[in-house]
Amino acid sequence: MKFGVVVSEGPYTHQASDTAYHFVVSALEAGHEVPRVFFYHDGVNVGTRLSVPPQDERNIQAQWTDLAARHKIDLVVCIAAAQRRGILDENEATRQGKDANNIAEGFRISGLGQLIEMGIQTDRLLMFGD
Amino acid sequence: MKFGVVVSEGPYTHQASDTAYHFVVSALEAGHEVPRVFFYHDGVNVGTRLSVPPQDERNIQAQWTDLAARHKIDLVVCIAAAQRRGILDENEATRQGKDANNIAEGFRISGLGQLIEMGIQTDRLLMFGD
Amino acid sequence: MATLHTVNKSPFATKALQSCLAHARDGDVILMIEDGVYGATAGTDLADVLAGHSALKIYVLEPDLQARGLDTGRLLDGVSTVDYAGFVDLAATTDRTMAWL
Amino acid sequence: MATLHTVNKSPFATKALQSCLAHARDGDVILMIEDGVYGATAGTDLADVLAGHSALKIYVLEPDLQARGLDTGRLLDGVSTVDYAGFVDLAATTDRTMAWL
Amino acid sequence: MSEDVKKFLYVNRKAPYGTIYALESLEVVLIGAAFDQDVSLAFLDDGVFQLTRGQDTTGIGMKNFSPTFRALGDYDVTKLYVERESLEERGLSADDLQEIMYEDEDDDWAEKPSIRIVSRAEMADIFAEQDVVLSF
Amino acid sequence: MSEDVKKFLYVNRKAPYGTIYALESLEVVLIGAAFDQDVSLAFLDDGVFQLTRGQDTTGIGMKNFSPTFRALGDYDVTKLYVERESLEERGLSADDLQEIMYEDEDDDWAEKPSIRIVSRAEMADIFAEQDVVLSF
């Protein structure tokens, strides 16, 4: 079965991104597919490569980057939500005249259409938020 | 009278940083002092210079940067909260081996002691959060 | 020695207002801001929540009311409106502020 | 055609669980996760909230229970525990998932 | 309806302005309209506050997005279910909500109201018909 | 007490782990302890869940910060007020909370409990004595 997953809250502040991560790991272990995870609202903040969590805490961004690489998961950060909150990739930074970008490896910035497409193409959609 | 202000939630997602802004503007207009605003929890995300809000929306970071410059307000972003969430200045970025930083003009990163100090040195402390 | 309590949540969504009211003391001031302004409207299932608290002064932030399309005619009896300047005055004239987040 | 409802808020803090229960239909499944697990404990002021919903299947995510120091012995009668793998199974064996955020 | 069409429901349970969920929900609806799915919106609990008339955000310095609801008809989003019990608990009636109309192409483009007041039980039935439920 | 000493109260009303407020509140308390102010902590509403015994976060992959409460005595943070009504509403009693002790330097370093169960009315009185109230 194909699961689509939405993460609606930022890392560390809410448990949502952690629960989503454990759900996806378990879904993959059970033989299901998770072709895409969509990060919306404050969820876009999961995709920054600038976070430096304490050494005795999990690194939420790194967990997702690693999982996505191993299982070819498309980690999509919503462009509209990301712009408001200051999550940019190199293209966006150039386009907006910003002198830096902060997107993490394995994440890509794209439009809300990717969320709808995920809803159409997967069998179940799960939302993790606040 | 001296007011200390804490902003505990990120920009756009919660109204907290807006309400805090309007409170500070009105306090200054009434002749009060606001020597410092402390950004904690997701509030640290107010201090990113990478946000690009839609043109018909207010720019929350720019509002604070401008207000702080005109009234000499010390905008302090909590270092511990900022590290988790990926808000870094140039020093922190270098120290943590990160290739970019995203702190906005007028904001500085410092420790939680600045929050306690604000509580000691001001007459009233206001918290805006979720 | 009064406390200014700020409530920024809808009482239909969270228990913040109820907890605030249960801990406020006579003479304290309650200011409803942001989504908290819904707690000041009449004719709701929760209108009774404020009843029996006549020893408190209840204010609501008018810009937040207007944003939400709530006319001041909808307010419960005894609730007054303030603007941001009035919010500042309340914070200055009470002895401490407590946010019910 | 059952729905899996996920509830991640404490029922002592927000109205999410109550609203979920008011909209769930016979045969639906409710899974309490994160701070939602507090809704599955016995001996509380809210234990009655789940009463009268015997046509629902109620689950609680055990890792979240353990994190919060709640022993399964505290659970209300009729509440079952699942781990993350069980959560996946519930999502796969119901027809849709609805999050009560 | 083709079998490629899924029933999408956008569930709105939060008040506007205090948090951004209502606004960002609307942004999804507008983008999603291009995908030719069977779209409905549900407003219950504090979500009914999103539809009140007369919202004026000048004083809080935020953008008033409530007029956007009136544009939904142009995007063929014409089913806005509002829960009666949620309105009543909040001291609201249908008259307190803004008028949202659409032109029915199957009925000689007659103007019809998009808002449909439903009971809690009817809302539960609507939930149970969906393929995809997005919560805001 | 010198007049430079203010009464600081940290108010904890949220459950642990679902959100970070409880953990980041504790971080403020630890830093604040260096400032020689008159510090108290209040636990009410879902905040009482922060102090439950036997928290084991292995399964959720988060750090268990509950042992840190037991270190507060070493930082001279010795007044942890817990509201009785909040416990009772949640089916908890004092026995469900972890033991948090401090050594009283004014009483020959006798070990004493830091947790003080108070009524809601007493909690309201504690609030009214403070100079600075920080809410988490």
Side-chain angles (χ1 to χ4, degrees):
Chain A
M1 183 168 280
K2 283 185 188 164
F3 287 108
V5 171
V6 181
V7 175
S8 299
E9 292 295 332
Y12 307 105
T13 307
H14 293 89
Q15 200 184 342
S17 61
D18 291 286
T19 306
Y21 174 78
H22 293 298
F23 180 90
V24 172
V25 167
S26 290
L28 295 167
E29 281 174 359
H32 298 295
E33 293 172 63
V34 183
R36 179 176 294 162
V37 177
F38 192 86
F39 295 87
Y40 197 44
H41 305 311
D42 273 1
V44 301
N45 291 322
V46 172
T48 176
R49 71 171 183 277
L50 300 186
S51 70
V52 188
Q55 299 207 327
D56 56 354
E57 273 189 44
R58 77 280 187 210
N59 185 322
I60 294 175
Q61 170 264 313
Q63 286 178 332
W64 281 108
T65 295
D66 179 57
L67 190 70
R70 285 189 287 119
H71 297 275
K72 296 197 169 53
I73 305 170
D74 186 20
L75 304 180
V76 179
V77 171
C78 168
I79 187 166
Q83 283 179 342
R84 279 193 184 93
R85 292 168 179 86
I87 302 293
L88 301 175
D89 61 13
E90 202 174 336
N91 278 343
E92 270 295 295
T94 306
R95 206 163 69 85
Q96 304 289 351
K98 296 288 184 180
D99 62 345
N101 71 77
N102 55 355
I103 193 88
E105 194 186 326
F107 290 81
R108 69 183 178 95
I109 292 182
S110 189
L112 278 166
Q114 305 280 309
L115 167 57
I116 308 298
E117 193 186 88
M118 182 174 78
I120 295 170
Q121 296 179 350
T122 57
D123 302 299
R124 298 286 184 279
L125 187 133
L126 281 283
M127 291 196 77
F128 297 91
D130 176 48
Chain B
M1 184 170 279
K2 282 186 189 164
F3 286 108
V5 171
V6 181
V7 175
S8 299
E9 292 296 332
Y12 308 105
T13 308
H14 292 89
Q15 201 185 340
S17 60
D18 290 287
T19 306
Y21 174 78
H22 294 299
F23 180 90
V24 172
V25 167
S26 291
L28 294 168
E29 280 174 359
H32 297 295
E33 293 172 63
V34 183
R36 179 176 294 162
V37 177
F38 192 86
F39 295 86
Y40 196 44
H41 304 311
D42 273 2
V44 301
N45 291 322
V46 172
T48 175
R49 71 171 182 276
L50 300 186
S51 69
V52 189
Q55 298 207 329
D56 57 352
E57 272 188 44
R58 77 278 185 210
N59 185 321
I60 295 175
Q61 169 264 313
Q63 286 177 332
W64 282 109
T65 295
D66 179 58
L67 190 70
R70 287 188 286 117
H71 296 276
K72 295 197 170 57
I73 304 170
D74 187 18
L75 303 181
V76 180
V77 170
C78 169
I79 187 165
Q83 283 179 341
R84 278 194 185 93
R85 293 170 179 84
I87 302 293
L88 301 175
D89 61 14
E90 202 175 334
N91 278 343
E92 270 295 294
T94 306
R95 206 164 69 86
Q96 304 288 351
K98 296 288 184 180
D99 62 345
N101 71 76
N102 56 355
I103 193 90
E105 193 187 328
F107 290 80
R108 69 184 178 94
I109 292 181
S110 188
L112 278 165
Q114 305 280 309
L115 168 57
I116 308 298
E117 192 185 89
M118 181 173 79
I120 295 170
Q121 296 178 352
T122 56
D123 301 300
R124 298 285 184 281
L125 188 133
L126 281 283
M127 290 195 78
F128 297 91
D130 177 47
Chain C
M1 292 297 285
T3 299
L4 170 63
H5 303 268
T6 58
V7 177
N8 73 332
K9 297 293 193 317
S10 162
F12 303 100
T14 84
K15 307 283 176 65
L17 176 62
Q18 277 168 268
S19 187
C20 171
L21 290 170
H23 292 91
R25 307 204 317 171
D26 288 0
D28 278 359
V29 181
I30 305 216
L31 173 62
M32 300 174 181
I33 64 173
E34 302 176 355
D35 288 347
V37 300
Y38 294 117
T41 52
T44 80
D45 271 13
L46 296 178
D48 284 353
V49 167
L50 282 184
H53 291 281
S54 56
L56 301 174
K57 293 171 202 132
I58 316 274
Y59 293 88
V60 62
L61 194 59
E62 191 162 10
D64 277 320
L65 264 188
Q66 290 170 338
R68 290 159 182 80
L70 300 175
D71 192 88
T72 52
R74 281 189 182 276
L75 294 179
L76 286 161
D77 287 345
V79 175
S80 310
T81 59
V82 288
D83 56 10
Y84 290 106
F87 182 178
V88 171
D89 288 345
L90 290 176
T93 54
T94 49
D95 298 286
R96 73 192 65 73
T97 301
M98 182 163 176
W100 292 81
L101 303 177
Chain D
M1 290 297 284
T3 300
L4 170 63
H5 303 268
T6 57
V7 177
N8 73 332
K9 297 293 193 318
S10 162
F12 304 100
T14 84
K15 307 281 177 66
L17 176 62
Q18 277 168 266
S19 186
C20 171
L21 290 170
H23 292 91
R25 305 202 322 168
D26 289 1
D28 279 358
V29 182
I30 306 218
L31 173 62
M32 300 175 181
I33 64 173
E34 302 177 355
D35 289 347
V37 300
Y38 295 117
T41 52
T44 79
D45 271 14
L46 297 178
D48 283 353
V49 167
L50 283 185
H53 292 280
S54 55
L56 301 173
K57 293 170 203 132
I58 317 272
Y59 293 88
V60 62
L61 194 59
E62 190 160 13
D64 276 321
L65 264 188
Q66 290 169 338
R68 290 158 181 81
L70 299 175
D71 193 88
T72 53
R74 280 189 182 276
L75 293 179
L76 285 161
D77 286 345
V79 175
S80 310
T81 60
V82 289
D83 56 10
Y84 290 106
F87 182 177
V88 171
D89 288 344
L90 290 177
T93 54
T94 49
D95 298 286
R96 72 192 65 73
T97 301
M98 181 164 175
W100 292 82
L101 304 178
Chain E
M1 235 173 241
S2 115
E3 53 184 302
D4 289 344
V5 172
K6 281 193 174 183
K7 289 176 77 73
F8 271 70
L9 180 70
Y10 299 90
V11 177
N12 297 283
R13 294 184 52 247
K14 293 177 184 156
Y17 306 115
T19 55
I20 202 171
Y21 304 103
L23 167 61
E24 289 192 331
S25 169
L26 202 45
E27 291 185 350
V28 183
V29 173
L30 292 173
I31 298 287
F35 284 76
D36 292 324
Q37 303 296 305
D38 181 7
V39 171
S40 302
L41 275 62
F43 296 86
L44 63 153
D45 297 341
D46 277 0
V48 301
F49 285 133
Q50 296 179 25
L51 299 173
T52 54
R53 284 177 195 274
Q55 297 180 20
D56 175 1
T57 57
T58 319
I60 60 170
M62 293 168 74
K63 183 183 161 187
N64 178 357
F65 60 89
S66 67
T68 309
F69 288 111
R70 296 201 293 273
L72 288 176
D74 301 336
Y75 291 81
D76 290 327
V77 174
T78 62
K79 292 180 282 187
L80 276 64
Y81 297 102
V82 177
E83 188 177 275
R84 179 177 294 112
E85 289 85 343
S86 293
L87 287 172
E88 290 170 354
E89 289 160 7
R90 287 158 183 79
L92 298 175
S93 71
D95 292 342
D96 296 311
L97 308 183
Q98 56 174 337
E99 226 171 43
I100 301 175
M101 309 295 287
Y102 74 101
E103 296 178 345
D104 187 349
E105 58 178 323
D106 298 330
D107 189 9
D108 199 20
W109 306 99
E111 277 229 320
K112 297 185 177 177
S114 297
I115 290 184
R116 303 160 194 213
I117 309 288
V118 298
S119 71
R120 185 159 284 161
E122 289 169 324
M123 189 64 94
D125 292 342
I126 290 164
F127 292 165
E129 291 166 2
Q130 306 300 319
D131 295 307
V132 178
V133 181
L134 293 155
S135 302
F136 295 95
Chain F
M1 239 174 236
S2 112
E3 51 184 302
D4 289 343
V5 172
K6 281 191 173 183
K7 288 176 78 72
F8 271 71
L9 180 70
Y10 298 90
V11 177
N12 297 283
R13 294 184 51 248
K14 293 178 186 156
Y17 307 115
T19 54
I20 203 173
Y21 305 103
L23 167 61
E24 289 192 332
S25 169
L26 202 45
E27 292 185 350
V28 183
V29 172
L30 292 173
I31 299 286
F35 284 76
D36 292 326
Q37 303 295 304
D38 181 6
V39 171
S40 301
L41 275 60
F43 296 87
L44 64 153
D45 296 340
D46 277 359
V48 301
F49 285 132
Q50 295 179 26
L51 298 173
T52 54
R53 285 177 194 274
Q55 297 179 20
D56 175 2
T57 58
T58 318
I60 60 169
M62 294 168 72
K63 185 183 159 186
N64 178 358
F65 60 88
S66 67
T68 309
F69 288 113
R70 296 200 293 274
L72 288 176
D74 300 336
Y75 291 80
D76 290 327
V77 174
T78 61
K79 292 181 283 189
L80 276 62
Y81 297 101
V82 177
E83 188 176 277
R84 179 177 295 112
E85 288 87 342
S86 293
L87 288 172
E88 289 170 353
E89 288 160 6
R90 287 159 183 79
L92 298 176
S93 70
D95 292 341
D96 295 311
L97 307 183
Q98 57 173 335
E99 226 172 41
I100 301 174
M101 308 294 288
Y102 73 101
E103 296 179 343
D104 187 349
E105 59 178 323
D106 298 330
D107 189 10
D108 199 21
W109 305 99
E111 277 229 321
K112 296 184 177 178
S114 296
I115 290 182
R116 303 159 194 213
I117 310 286
V118 298
S119 71
R120 185 159 284 162
E122 289 169 324
M123 189 63 94
D125 292 342
I126 290 164
F127 292 166
E129 291 167 0
Q130 306 300 319
D131 294 307
V132 178
V133 180
L134 293 155
S135 302
F136 295 96

